[in-house]
Amino acid sequence: MEKLKLETKNVANENFELLSKLFPNALTETIIGYDEDGKAIVDRAIDADVLRQEIACTVVEGKEERYQFTWPDKKKAILNANAPISETLRPCREESVDFDNTENLYIEGDNLDVLKLLQETYLGKVKMIYIDPPYNTGSDLIYDDDFSETYDDYITNSNQLDAEGNRLFQNTESNGRFHTDWLNMIYPRIKLSRNLLTEDGVLFISIGDEEVDNLRKLCDEIYGRINFVGVLLWKKKTNGNNMGYLPAVHDYILCYAKSISSIKDLGFPITQEYISKTFSNPDNDVRGPWTTTDLSANHKGPCYPITNPKTGEIHYPPKGRYWVFNEKEVKNRIIDGRIIFGKNGKGKPVQKVFLSNRKLSKIKVDSWWDDKGMNEDATEELTTIFGAAKLFTHPKPTKLLYNIQKLYLENEDIIIDFFSGSATTANATMLLNAEDTGKRRYIMVQLPELTDTNSEAYKAGYHNICEIGKERIRRAGKKILEENPDAKDLDIGFRVLKLDSTNMKEVYYTPSETQQTLFDLYTDNIKPDRTPEDLLFQVMLDLGVLLSSKIEETEIAGKKVFNVADGFLIACFDDRITDEVVKAVAQRKPYYAVFRDSSMADDSVATNFEQIFVTYSPETIRKVL
């Protein structure tokens, strides 16, 4: 049996291995330091000169000028996006809704670590990512990452906690690193997010004026400039409260594709209302309802006079544009009534486009200046849902997230929001599913940031943001069901998972470094406060099994056995496992079978283990922890 690694991948090591396979002649060694005895410490390296020869192109290095986007500690941000962690996600049934049946997830914890944990399980499975990160307005920046220490140690040692225990970093313009700190926070998170998207997946990011330019450059680097889809300009409020010379009443919503060549049309589904507004038949044309489009374009083409046969007026294309048809084709279309001179016969030439000939797929979008929700709507929504005063600052309106999802998200697609806040994204997903009986699934990720003791949220009993988000989903789900009684199959549940340290004791990861005299302390390599279900979810993460998978709990010969995803994974973490249990698991022919290390009842069972699987299910991959 093979031992599970129970830690995330070291992406830097993987990249090194890929280069090693492609260019083995570029491998070398270099001295990186000296030990206490003065002996050189040698490490692996890539010879840049050899690599340059192999790729046969110009390599820019050192201080040579080149176009680039950089800032202090950027290299550190890149390295730490790739650095492995050995944390886990622990299920919390008591805070979940319909834990056993739901396919939605609510994850509490630092989103950087959570994104690392999801790399294996959700690699290439997410259709849409939406995030509304901190806007870097000079107020507290919650995410201030220091990767040279563990998460808990850094928080303790650097005093980045306020009187109430909040994790805070005051990112004011006067600190000299105003943009740097924000970029170091956001870079590794967006870098990791790209791996989760399907080939036709898209990323949407809400952002304000302060960092929109930097965010564009950062996303161009990570996603590729060619995969920039566009920017939605969203009106968030009616006025700027007289602040600034040109008060910002808008936000930007950037959109990037995993692969621009793979994405489908972005837009709203065609409705009968849209058709009725767009197409008409005022002249009773026998070819049916029609609309008009421009007869000119800005690409190179013919340029000649078009004469209105009724008025004699001569028309040329606008400056810098050209006619889309040649002169003969235009004359034929005028005779045929497919080119007209305005609806009154006296305007510029335009072409008729008939509904019967138009392949309608999606309604294209432009700036969202009206009817997409504003900040005041979001605040009113939360007040209505909670029946209380303002509990959350700067929430996004459900209508905005509803429309973003409706642009592209289809039935059974997954959306992730790893700056979940008040969980507007989850609310919008349920609303959209209720409308069209869809099965879209969401994953919300939020740091359990403590609320201010003087805030309305704290007074109402919500001591951290996650409590607000979870309760918002519970109440919104019930409300949507009440308003949509026919949506009986609507999934309004969610599994709560909480980021925590690994379930395993340190000896699991460094057995060779553990003193022999301490072995009696580690007869069980699992922490005493961890449950079998805790172990199951860490195994699911390690093996890439969806965290929303169906989990059935059965009993075989008095031992608790988990059946995950209809037999894809079968796990038993009890001790004193007998031949009967091993045989029963093997006969179910799972893809993975997982047991605890040294859990066999005696040496005989351990000896028979492999032979039992060879007999009943040789293809099953056997793992231990």
Side-chain angles (χ1 to χ4, degrees):
M1 290 182 285
E2 184 180 347
K3 192 174 181 180
L4 289 162
K5 65 181 188 300
L6 300 183
E7 66 178 4
T8 60
K9 292 181 179 179
N10 187 320
V11 182
N13 283 343
E14 289 193 348
N15 291 337
F16 182 87
E17 293 302 325
L18 287 172
L19 274 176
S20 301
K21 291 177 181 178
L22 287 172
F23 310 109
N25 56 329
L27 296 185
T28 186
E29 295 179 347
T30 187
I31 296 174
I32 60 172
Y34 296 87
D35 62 19
E36 295 177 354
D37 299 324
K39 186 178 180 180
I41 302 172
V42 179
D43 196 8
R44 64 187 185 178
I46 294 289
D47 191 320
D49 290 331
V50 175
L51 191 61
R52 181 188 294 108
Q53 295 167 9
E54 291 288 351
I55 60 180
C57 69
T58 302
V59 175
V60 183
E61 60 184 351
K63 296 182 179 180
E64 293 180 57
E65 292 182 351
R66 85 290 303 264
Y67 178 80
Q68 64 180 158
F69 177 51
T70 190
W71 61 89
D73 292 338
K74 180 181 179 181
K75 289 181 180 179
K76 186 177 179 182
I78 296 172
L79 288 173
N80 289 290
N82 297 335
I85 60 171
S86 55
E87 298 186 41
T88 190
L89 297 176
R90 299 178 66 186
C92 183
R93 281 181 172 270
E94 59 270 24
E95 296 179 20
S96 304
V97 174
D98 198 16
F99 185 97
D100 290 319
N101 299 305
T102 185
E103 292 191 69
N104 301 315
L105 300 177
Y106 189 99
I107 304 176
E108 293 187 25
D110 189 312
N111 52 19
L112 180 60
D113 290 340
V114 172
L115 286 169
K116 289 184 178 184
L117 289 173
L118 298 182
Q119 292 295 296
E120 189 83 24
T121 306
Y122 287 90
L123 179 70
K125 292 183 174 68
V126 177
K127 188 66 167 292
M128 180 184 288
I129 295 172
Y130 169 81
I131 57 172
D132 178 22
Y135 273 23
N136 201 19
T137 56
S139 57
D140 293 327
L141 181 62
I142 303 303
Y143 300 85
D144 177 36
D145 302 312
D146 184 295
F147 301 96
S148 62
E149 304 175 86
T150 65
Y151 171 77
D152 292 332
D153 288 344
Y154 174 68
I155 293 301
T156 302
N157 297 338
S158 60
N159 296 317
Q160 296 297 317
L161 297 176
D162 66 10
E164 285 76 43
N166 286 305
R167 178 188 181 195
L168 300 175
F169 181 74
Q170 192 71 19
N171 191 37
T172 61
E173 296 237 23
S174 62
N175 75 9
R177 291 172 56 94
F178 183 74
H179 297 291
T180 291
D181 290 331
W182 190 88
L183 287 167
N184 284 328
M185 179 278 294
I186 200 68
Y187 185 95
R189 290 163 172 84
I190 293 182
K191 188 175 191 297
L192 289 170
S193 75
R194 186 179 182 276
N195 300 330
L196 303 180
L197 287 175
T198 59
E199 277 305 300
D200 60 346
V202 292
L203 165 73
F204 285 93
I205 310 176
S206 289
I207 197 67
D209 286 320
E210 296 81 11
E211 297 292 351
V212 63
D213 294 334
N214 285 333
L215 187 59
R216 278 284 304 271
K217 294 183 180 74
L218 185 147
C219 289
D220 283 349
E221 178 175 314
I222 295 173
Y223 276 76
R225 178 64 181 83
I226 193 174
N227 293 313
F228 174 63
V229 177
V231 180
L232 288 170
L233 195 62
W234 168 61
K235 184 177 181 180
K236 63 181 180 180
K237 54 187 176 181
T238 55
N239 63 72
N241 297 321
N242 298 319
M243 296 178 65
Y245 294 103
L246 291 173
V249 297
H250 60 272
D251 273 353
Y252 307 92
I253 304 174
L254 307 188
C255 181
Y256 281 80
K258 173 79 170 286
S259 171
I260 197 74
S261 60
S262 299
I263 67 170
K264 305 170 185 175
D265 285 344
L266 270 81
F268 298 116
I270 300 297
T271 62
Q272 188 58 49
E273 180 184 8
Y274 170 78
I275 292 174
S276 299
K277 287 182 178 179
T278 306
F279 295 89
S280 62
N281 195 4
D283 59 353
N284 295 317
D285 195 309
V286 294
R287 290 164 290 197
W290 51 271
T291 188
T292 60
T293 61
D294 200 346
L295 195 59
S296 68
N298 57 10
H299 57 76
K300 193 72 173 177
C303 181
Y304 52 84
I306 295 178
T307 303
N308 186 329
K310 292 184 178 179
T311 66
E313 186 178 1
I314 296 174
H315 299 272
Y316 284 92
K319 186 176 180 180
R321 297 176 68 87
Y322 305 88
W323 300 128
V324 296
F325 302 116
N326 60 42
E327 194 167 1
K328 182 179 178 181
E329 181 66 18
V330 166
K331 289 179 179 178
N332 289 336
R333 287 176 177 254
I334 290 174
I335 295 171
D336 194 29
R338 285 181 292 166
I339 289 179
I340 60 175
F341 294 83
K343 292 185 178 181
N344 61 3
K346 298 179 181 180
K348 68 177 183 178
V350 291
Q351 56 178 321
K352 275 186 177 182
V353 177
F354 294 95
L355 176 61
S356 57
N357 297 331
R358 184 80 174 265
K359 291 183 179 180
L360 297 177
S361 55
K362 293 285 185 74
I363 302 172
K364 298 298 183 182
V365 297
D366 49 20
S367 294
W368 286 357
W369 216 246
D370 297 297
D371 196 35
K372 294 299 183 291
M374 289 193 288
N375 286 346
E376 60 188 39
D377 300 319
T379 302
E380 185 178 337
E381 279 175 4
L382 284 183
T383 301
T384 301
I385 290 172
F386 285 93
K390 191 173 183 178
L391 300 180
F392 192 87
T393 58
H394 310 302
K396 288 291 184 287
T398 302
K399 184 179 284 188
L400 176 67
L401 270 298
Y402 164 88
N403 280 297
I404 288 175
Q405 293 186 47
K406 196 166 185 177
L407 282 177
Y408 198 63
L409 215 57
E410 298 176 341
N411 195 11
E412 298 189 16
D413 285 340
I414 298 174
I415 181 171
I416 285 184
D417 182 346
F418 53 86
F419 287 96
S420 172
S422 65
T424 303
T425 300
N427 194 338
T429 305
M430 293 187 292
L431 199 63
L432 189 54
N433 282 340
E435 179 184 279
D436 63 6
T437 67
K439 301 291 183 182
R440 300 168 189 84
R441 295 160 286 169
Y442 63 75
I443 300 175
M444 301 291 102
V445 183
Q446 177 59 43
L447 185 76
E449 176 198 347
L450 301 181
T451 54
D452 191 306
T453 54
N454 295 319
S455 68
E456 294 298 327
Y458 190 92
K459 294 173 184 176
Y462 303 104
H463 294 171
N464 67 55
I465 291 178
C466 292
E467 292 177 4
I468 298 173
K470 287 177 290 188
E471 184 61 20
R472 192 253 181 90
I473 299 173
R474 296 185 192 105
R475 296 188 181 208
K478 291 179 181 178
K479 184 173 184 289
I480 291 170
L481 273 183
E482 290 172 0
E483 296 172 352
N484 298 271
D486 294 334
K488 296 178 181 178
D489 296 328
L490 179 65
D491 184 357
I492 61 169
F494 54 93
R495 281 182 181 174
V496 174
L497 305 174
K498 297 188 178 186
L499 182 71
D500 206 333
S501 60
T502 176
N503 296 310
M504 317 307 291
K505 294 177 180 177
E506 187 63 27
V507 67
Y508 185 90
Y509 300 98
T510 57
S512 62
E513 298 175 13
T514 304
Q515 298 178 29
Q516 294 289 331
T517 55
L518 297 181
F519 277 169
D520 57 330
L521 298 177
Y522 296 110
T523 52
D524 189 344
N525 59 9
I526 296 167
K527 293 176 180 176
D529 63 334
R530 304 306 165 97
T531 68
E533 200 163 53
D534 289 336
L535 300 178
L536 178 65
F537 273 84
Q538 186 158 11
V539 168
M540 289 167 68
L541 281 169
D542 201 74
L543 298 179
V545 181
L546 291 182
L547 300 177
S548 59
S549 297
K550 182 180 179 182
I551 301 172
E552 294 179 323
E553 190 178 309
T554 58
E555 189 174 288
I556 300 175
K559 304 300 180 182
K560 181 185 293 185
V561 176
F562 294 101
N563 182 333
V564 182
D566 297 321
F568 181 78
L569 162 66
I570 294 181
C572 179
F573 305 116
D574 288 357
D575 55 8
R576 302 200 61 77
I577 300 298
T578 63
D579 283 346
E580 182 182 357
V581 177
V582 176
K583 181 179 177 181
V585 171
Q587 286 178 329
R588 297 186 185 186
K589 302 183 183 302
Y591 187 84
Y592 286 113
V594 180
F595 298 86
R596 284 172 63 170
D597 197 9
S598 304
S599 64
M600 303 304 151
D602 50 46
D603 291 341
S604 174
V605 178
T607 302
N608 295 336
F609 182 91
E610 289 294 336
Q611 188 56 48
I612 292 173
F613 270 94
V614 168
T615 301
Y616 293 101
S617 184
E619 296 83 10
T620 294
I621 300 172
R622 284 88 76 185
K623 301 274 189 178
V624 296
L625 53 78

